[in-house]
């Protein structure tokens, strides 16, 4: 029977190679499907954050740091990314690149209101 971590390693190596191949194709092939591209971007971003979080937790274990410290560091990184994204969205709205009347903006507004309620408590 194969060690599960070896299977994960093999899967990560295959995925990395597939991503490198996709990156090359995106550079030269015109007009990819917008929905597929959006899904790819979201998946890559989620995978990157998860991989980074796992890396931090492994690093905390190896260096003897408290896991809670690593979790706090990961949470701080999420907040930094959120601030960065919000600034970018604000700039897009101000430049007229994003309309405040879209369904996505309504959904964002609801999420921000939910966050504001949690933070206010």
């Amino acid at each position: 029977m194969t060690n599960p971590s070896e299977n994960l390693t093999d899967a990560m190596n295959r995925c990395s190679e597939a991503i490198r191949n996709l990156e090359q194709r995106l550079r030269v092939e015109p007009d990819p499907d917008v929905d597929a591209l959006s899904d790819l971007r979201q998946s890559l971003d989620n995978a990157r954050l998860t991989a980074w979080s796992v890396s931090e937790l492994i690093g905390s274990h190896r260096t003897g740091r408290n896991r809670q410290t690593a979790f706090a560091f990961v949470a701080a990184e999420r907040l930094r990314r959120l601030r960065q994204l919000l600034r970018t969205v604000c700039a897009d709205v101000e430049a007229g690149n994003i309309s405040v009347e879209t369904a996505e903006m309504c959904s964002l507004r609801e999420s921000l209101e939910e966050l504001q309620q949690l933070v206010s408590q």
Side-chain angles (χ1 to χ4, degrees), residues 26 32-46:
L26 283 168
D33 178 76
V34 175
D35 291 335
L37 185 60
S38 178
D39 187 45
L40 173 67
R41 290 179 60 204
Q42 184 67 43
S43 296
L44 288 172
D45 193 45
N46 290 342

Side-chain angles (χ1 to χ4, degrees), residues 16-49:
S16 295
E17 181 63 27
I19 290 169
R20 283 188 290 274
N21 290 336
L22 265 175
E23 178 188 8
Q24 290 302 314
R25 290 183 66 184
L26 283 168
R27 290 174 188 259
V28 296
E29 294 181 22
D31 301 327
D33 178 76
V34 175
D35 291 335
L37 185 60
S38 178
D39 187 45
L40 173 67
R41 290 179 60 204
Q42 184 67 43
S43 296
L44 288 172
D45 193 45
N46 290 342
R48 185 199 62 79
L49 182 58

Side-chain angles (χ1 to χ4, degrees), residues 6-79:
E6 290 175 346
N7 288 336
L8 180 58
T9 298
D10 290 344
M12 288 187 298
N13 288 335
R14 282 191 308 275
C15 183
S16 295
E17 181 63 27
I19 290 169
R20 283 188 290 274
N21 290 336
L22 265 175
E23 178 188 8
Q24 290 302 314
R25 290 183 66 184
L26 283 168
R27 290 174 188 259
V28 296
E29 294 181 22
D31 301 327
D33 178 76
V34 175
D35 291 335
L37 185 60
S38 178
D39 187 45
L40 173 67
R41 290 179 60 204
Q42 184 67 43
S43 296
L44 288 172
D45 193 45
N46 290 342
R48 185 199 62 79
L49 182 58
T50 299
W52 181 79
S53 298
V54 170
S55 180
E56 283 299 310
L57 291 172
I58 290 170
S60 73
H61 177 70
R62 287 184 180 161
T63 61
R65 286 185 298 163
N66 183 326
R67 284 179 66 89
Q68 282 307 112
T69 301
F71 284 131
F73 186 71
V74 169
E77 173 61 12
R78 287 186 184 124
L79 290 172

Side-chain angles (χ1 to χ4, degrees), residues 83-103:
R83 285 190 307 271
Q84 186 178 44
L85 286 169
L86 288 172
R87 286 184 186 121
T88 303
V89 169
C90 287
D92 283 341
V93 169
E94 288 172 351
N97 298 330
I98 297 176
S99 169
V100 295
E101 303 301 322
T102 64

